Amino acid sequence: MNVSIRWLYKTPRNQETRFESQEMPLERALLFVEDIERTGRAHQIELIDGRGSNWTVKEAKRYLKEVEVEPHNVCIFFDGGYKRETGEAGLGCVIYYEQNGKSYRLRQNAFVEGFTSNNEAEFAALHLALQELEFLGAKGIPVEIRGDSQVVLQHMIEDWEIMDPTLASWGRRVDQKLDHMKLQPEYHKIPRHKNNEANRLATQALKGIPVAAEIELVQ
């Protein structure tokens, strides 16, 4: 979860002004808070998350302690591929997350038949990613969702209404999964070249190459 820090600064002569930092990961923000507190001149320190909710320092520390043993700082990449001639689709997703002080990357793809469009494959790839996240035990946390499908992302942000009943049904399935897991999605549209991992997984699925892998990322 990314947050910004907001605080009231008072000089020895009791002059005061307010400051607000740029957004940063919560863990890093708390390190800055500790340093700011040591000056003895910072008051009313609070943290603001991406949804505009305010957190006290105590609440933020308790939250970090609670999520440490569960997946958090989750970022999903998804992509779908489609063969019009056969109705075959390849789904690909990559999930980056942290747990117990370590960082991980999970890659998963799937081959499916009977699809009607590339957009359906894109929705299904996002749903696949959420299923994998559910298997990891993630719940009640912010999740970054990144993809290059304008149709999927604009629909999920509710900027676009989809008239196609098949795609609308997939949108509802994604929403239901998010609600069931109590996730707080943050959608980001990215250029195709920044979605290479998920795209490669979707392509491999279409070629009959299954991938299901998870590794610890060593910094």
Side-chain angles (χ1 to χ4, degrees), residues 123 126 145 149-161 175 178 185-189:
F123 270 106
L126 174 54
I145 298 176
S149 171
Q150 187 170 0
V151 171
V152 172
L153 295 176
Q154 293 289 14
H155 175 68
M156 298 310 301
I157 300 170
E158 298 182 354
D159 284 348
W160 283 7
E161 182 180 359
D175 274 332
L178 290 167
E186 300 171 10
Y187 295 102
H188 301 274
K189 186 178 184 304

Side-chain angles (χ1 to χ4, degrees), residues 182-199:
K182 296 181 172 59
L183 300 178
Q184 302 141 36
E186 300 171 10
Y187 295 102
H188 301 274
K189 186 178 184 304
I190 58 175
R192 177 167 290 277
H193 71 272
K194 290 189 175 181
N195 203 26
N196 284 337
E197 280 190 298
N199 177 265

